[in-house]
């Protein structure tokens, strides 16, 4: 769907900005958490939608750290 494609763009941009302005290895590690969380979310959702929170939380926190860390890195470089 269109909104899914748009959110994928934001995730890639967050990873790219974090890796550029903070650290690429840490960014890769955080991105790996997101990649691991997606199949967990999928399997949990298929099994019982109420149990999907672990996979969702992994992906959400990874995304949040990448976005906030990237913004912090950009601001730090500007100062």
């Amino acid at each position: 769907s269109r909104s899914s494609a748009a959110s994928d763009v934001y995730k890639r941009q967050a990873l790219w900005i974090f890796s550029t302005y903070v650290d690429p290895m840490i960014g890769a590690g955080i991105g790996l958490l997101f990649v691991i969380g997606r199949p967990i979310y999928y399997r949990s959702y298929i099994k019982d939608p109420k149990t999907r929170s672990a996979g969702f939380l992994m992906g959400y926190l990874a995304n949040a750290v990448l976005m906030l860390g990237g913004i912090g890195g950009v601001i730090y470089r500007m100062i």
Side-chain angles (χ1 to χ4, degrees):
S1 77
R2 186 178 183 139
S3 64
S4 176
S7 72
D8 288 344
V9 170
Y10 294 129
K11 292 169 191 163
R12 286 191 301 261
Q13 289 174 343
L15 178 59
W16 176 71
I17 292 169
F18 185 95
S19 296
T20 300
Y21 291 99
V22 179
D23 185 85
M25 294 302 288
I26 295 172
I30 296 169
L32 184 61
L33 285 176
F34 178 81
V35 171
I36 291 169
R38 293 311 292 173
I40 293 171
Y41 176 85
Y42 172 75
R43 277 188 240 125
S44 300
Y45 189 80
I46 295 299
K47 188 176 180 180
D48 179 15
K50 294 178 183 176
T51 64
R52 64 187 175 190
S53 59
F56 172 79
L57 191 60
M58 284 179 72
Y60 180 79
L61 289 177
N63 245 355
V65 169
L66 288 173
M67 283 192 234
L68 295 174
I71 290 168
V74 169
I75 292 170
Y76 181 78
R77 294 264 181 111
M78 290 174 65
I79 296 177

